[in-house]
Amino acid sequence: MDGKEFTVSEVIDSFGINGHTWLMFALLGLANIFDGYDFMVINVTNSYVAATFWPDAFALNEATGKIALQPQYSALMGSLTTWGLLGMVLGGATGGILSDRIGRKKMLTIAVLFYGVFTLPQAFANDVYFFAAFRLIAGFGVGSCIPVVTTCFSETIPSQHRGVFVTFGMAFMVAGWVLAGLIGNPIASNTASIIPGFTDGAITTAASGNLPEGASFCQNWRLCYLIGALPIVYGILLFFLMHETPHWYANSGQKEKACEALEDIAHKHHDDSAHYDPNLLVVPPKPANIGPNVLFSKKYIVATAAIWTTYFVGQFCVYGMNAWIPTWFQGVGYSAADSTNLQTWNNFAAILSNISVGFVSDRIGRKKNLAGSWIACIVAIVLCSMLVQPNNMALCVVLMLLFGFCLNYAITAVQPLMPESYPTALRNTGVAWCQAFARFGGSGSSIVLGAIAANAIFKTAEGATNWSLVVLVLIVPFLLGFICTVMFVRETGGKTMDQLAAESTTEDKSDTGTTLFGIMMVVAALLAVLCIVCPLVVQGWSSSPMALPLMTIGMLLPFVYFFIFATPQIKNSK
């Protein structure tokens, strides 16, 4: 570059949007589509899976005259979603660290192959223990994939377009959710065996919504998990087509390879004569300490508080509601097929929100965009609570479009903040641990909402779940999301990754964040015990008068933690 010093960000910004940008966009997008399918397929098929493993989970409610989930199975059915999410927690925590050490390309390829290989055995499960074990293991790969995709987008896209591409990329994951509904619903609800000898075996009206008693289905849900093994093929293609990011090369001490990667992009899509001298490449200094504990040092704890709290809220609401939307609408009186279709409309709206959120975020800023999205979520959930009613499919579609748009807009508005909060050497660890912890919210939410739905406070006089009250509970996390956005989020839009790293406060090498990290792990353990372990292990937990207060405490503990330890550092972070 004419004998001048340069950074990776400056070179990438000088290229603008080019063929390499679109190649990475397509490759990362496809990885997210498969990832989204793998997560959502359980929510599409959970009624059929539950009916296979627990034949008495659904029964006729004599008061309403409809088939309904028995209260004692609420937490267990919620756990079908939880196992995969717990695997995602472990995968995100481990995969993030590995990605910062072995590279983005290797980690993403391993993750995609991993969840493809371990989704396949789920199709052959003969009991819930086998099924849950492989959901957990496959979730490890799913959890490793998502943060690497986010990090790759942030390290590949020019600064002025970063927010658009990061959030648009998340639309691919939601597209996987929609595909899971479009593919899984007609397959699972088919009353005839699609693959004789494999999907044979009748299941009862457990999954049939309000069909006449005595109707039965075959175990076609198994085919949905065969389809979920397609990432095995894609993982192989990814290995040959994807390039390692120049940012990772530069920050891992491989300046020559970083310059070669930049030249490769330039020669193919920008300038055939481009040459970059490794000796002139300026790399921001690495943090003195690297590891998840550093996220809780004084230097980074406010940024960690911002993304951990807001993404926790989003995961709790998105995953919790996706797990229970079909059951909600079956309880209102819609068939299983119509209920799953409403869930699919909810996720279709999420694609639209993910496409639009980046444009707004780049225009008005990350903080204003996120704060406004929580207010929109409160309005949407109140309207759903008031207006959802039986025998009005058109109205319910409109409400699900509104709710899906607002909720997924909010959670996606957090995405650009994640990679922008940490330097390259710590970036994927930061992104992955944020997403991993937030999935505790998702893991617990499906069980917590199930426990709430089974609680007498949320029952009608006939004994049915009053979902109008249950969904109003989401106002609490939405308000917390708004408060944490106002308190902790700092504006990062429009700046290069190198500028953001340079703006960090002076690092105290003795401050490793180890003590606060240890306290946070205790908080996470308490959350897991109160909101996941107890509902699944303690008999009659959901009906205990202490269950709801204790689970509420478990979910609020992370917020109390950050209010105590991050608030004193807010002035220093500005």
Side-chain angles (χ1 to χ4, degrees):
M1 291 188 66
D2 300 325
K4 296 180 180 179
E5 291 185 336
F6 62 95
T7 66
V8 171
S9 291
E10 288 173 349
V11 176
I12 290 178
D13 285 354
S14 71
F15 291 157
I17 303 299
N18 55 67
H20 178 262
T21 308
W22 292 116
L23 173 63
M24 292 295 288
F25 181 68
L27 292 175
L28 297 172
L30 280 172
N32 264 2
I33 286 177
F34 287 120
D35 187 288
Y37 177 93
D38 190 274
F39 165 74
M40 188 56 62
V41 70
I42 183 60
N43 293 324
V44 172
T45 63
N46 60 2
S47 293
Y48 304 93
V49 174
T52 300
F53 298 143
W54 303 306
D56 57 344
F58 290 73
L60 185 69
N61 185 316
E62 295 182 358
T64 63
K66 300 182 184 300
I67 297 292
L69 178 68
Q70 298 304 289
Q72 64 269 31
Y73 286 97
S74 294
L76 289 173
M77 186 166 165
S79 74
L80 293 175
T81 298
T82 297
W83 297 117
L85 285 170
L86 287 176
M88 291 166 72
V89 170
L90 299 174
T94 306
I97 297 172
L98 287 175
S99 172
D100 282 336
R101 293 184 179 179
I102 69 174
R104 317 309 190 202
K105 174 182 175 178
K106 289 180 182 177
M107 191 64 243
L108 184 59
T109 303
I110 292 170
V112 171
L113 287 170
F114 196 91
Y115 69 72
V117 168
F118 288 102
T119 296
L120 183 61
Q122 297 167 42
F124 302 90
N126 289 320
D127 59 63
V128 71
Y129 302 105
F130 183 96
F131 184 83
F134 280 97
R135 285 300 299 168
L136 180 71
I137 297 170
F140 193 95
V142 174
S144 299
C145 174
I146 300 173
V148 180
V149 168
T150 300
T151 298
C152 284
F153 270 124
S154 70
E155 295 180 350
T156 303
I157 306 302
S159 301
Q160 63 180 333
H161 303 292
R162 190 171 59 239
V164 172
F165 275 82
V166 169
T167 57
F168 199 111
M170 293 303 103
F172 283 104
M173 183 176 68
V174 184
W177 295 1
V178 172
L179 285 174
L182 294 176
I183 294 170
N185 190 26
I187 288 175
S189 63
N190 196 319
T191 57
S193 177
I194 296 176
I195 305 179
F198 176 63
T199 57
D200 296 342
I203 55 179
T204 64
T205 51
S208 62
N210 58 1
L211 291 178
E213 188 175 5
S216 64
F217 295 82
C218 291
Q219 296 179 18
N220 290 314
W221 61 265
R222 298 181 183 277
L223 180 56
C224 299
Y225 294 87
L226 285 182
I227 295 172
L230 285 176
I232 297 173
V233 177
Y234 182 64
I236 297 171
L237 294 175
L238 196 63
F239 178 79
F240 292 101
L241 294 176
M242 183 176 170
H243 302 278
E244 183 56 75
T245 69
H247 270 288
W248 183 81
Y249 278 137
N251 283 270
S252 62
Q254 303 179 64
K255 288 188 176 183
E256 292 80 6
K257 287 190 175 181
C259 289
E260 288 174 6
L262 291 172
E263 289 170 5
D264 183 60
I265 298 171
H267 292 168
K268 289 182 178 178
H269 310 294
H270 186 71
D271 182 0
D272 291 339
S273 62
H275 173 71
Y276 303 97
D277 186 348
N279 296 314
L280 298 176
L281 175 58
V282 177
V283 181
K286 291 184 179 181
N289 302 293
I290 297 175
N293 55 294
V294 180
L295 306 178
F296 296 86
S297 64
K298 291 178 182 179
K299 183 176 182 178
Y300 297 114
I301 192 169
V302 176
T304 299
I307 60 177
W308 280 45
T309 55
T310 53
Y311 208 61
F312 182 94
V313 167
Q315 294 272 301
F316 178 91
C317 299
V318 166
Y319 287 149
M321 286 305 295
N322 266 303
W324 288 104
I325 281 177
T327 305
W328 172 14
F329 282 101
Q330 287 181 55
V332 172
Y334 292 92
S335 68
D338 283 343
S339 298
T340 304
N341 283 334
L342 287 167
Q343 180 189 52
T344 302
W345 280 112
N346 176 80
N347 291 330
F348 176 76
I351 297 177
L352 302 178
S353 68
N354 287 0
I355 291 172
S356 61
V357 63
F359 291 98
V360 181
S361 183
D362 281 344
R363 183 173 293 273
I364 70 172
R366 314 294 194 231
K367 186 166 185 171
K368 290 180 181 178
N369 192 41
L370 182 56
S373 67
W374 296 124
I375 301 300
C377 285
I378 293 174
V379 173
I381 200 62
V382 170
L383 290 176
C384 287
S385 173
M386 294 171 57
L387 301 178
V388 162
Q389 56 186 270
N391 304 317
N392 196 336
M393 187 70 174
L395 175 61
C396 288
V397 167
V398 171
L399 291 171
M400 285 299 97
L401 286 171
L402 173 66
F403 181 62
F405 185 92
C406 293
L407 177 53
N408 286 278
Y409 188 102
I411 191 173
T412 308
V414 185
Q415 290 284 346
L417 289 166
M418 294 182 191
E420 294 170 350
S421 298
Y422 306 107
T424 304
L426 194 63
R427 182 167 299 131
N428 207 53
T429 297
V431 173
W433 274 73
C434 168
Q435 295 188 351
F437 177 75
R439 289 192 187 99
F440 268 117
S443 301
S445 66
S446 56
I447 295 176
V448 170
L449 289 179
I452 288 173
N455 196 286
I457 300 174
F458 297 92
K459 294 290 186 182
T460 64
E462 294 79 18
T465 298
N466 186 342
W467 281 99
S468 293
L469 288 178
V470 173
V471 298
L472 281 179
V473 171
L474 298 184
I475 290 178
V476 175
F478 289 149
L479 281 173
L480 283 171
F482 176 79
I483 293 170
C484 292
T485 299
V486 173
M487 287 184 62
F488 300 125
V489 172
R490 71 183 179 101
E491 189 53 60
T492 57
K495 302 174 183 178
T496 71
M497 305 306 287
D498 297 323
Q499 285 176 325
L500 291 169
E503 288 178 359
S504 298
T505 57
T506 303
E507 184 176 9
D508 179 359
K509 294 182 180 180
S510 65
D511 177 23
T512 62
T514 302
T515 300
L516 293 187
F517 176 70
I519 297 173
M520 187 69 236
M521 293 304 97
V522 172
V523 169
L526 288 172
L527 189 159
V529 169
L530 293 175
C531 299
I532 298 174
V533 177
C534 286
L536 296 178
V537 175
V538 179
Q539 189 172 8
W541 171 261
S542 298
S543 58
S544 168
M546 290 301 298
L548 202 52
L550 287 175
M551 286 190 290
T552 301
I553 291 172
M555 285 291 175
L556 291 177
L557 277 176
F559 298 93
V560 175
Y561 169 92
F562 283 116
F563 290 152
I564 293 173
F565 294 112
T567 302
Q569 302 301 323
I570 290 177
K571 289 184 178 180
N572 295 333
S573 70
K574 293 181 180 179

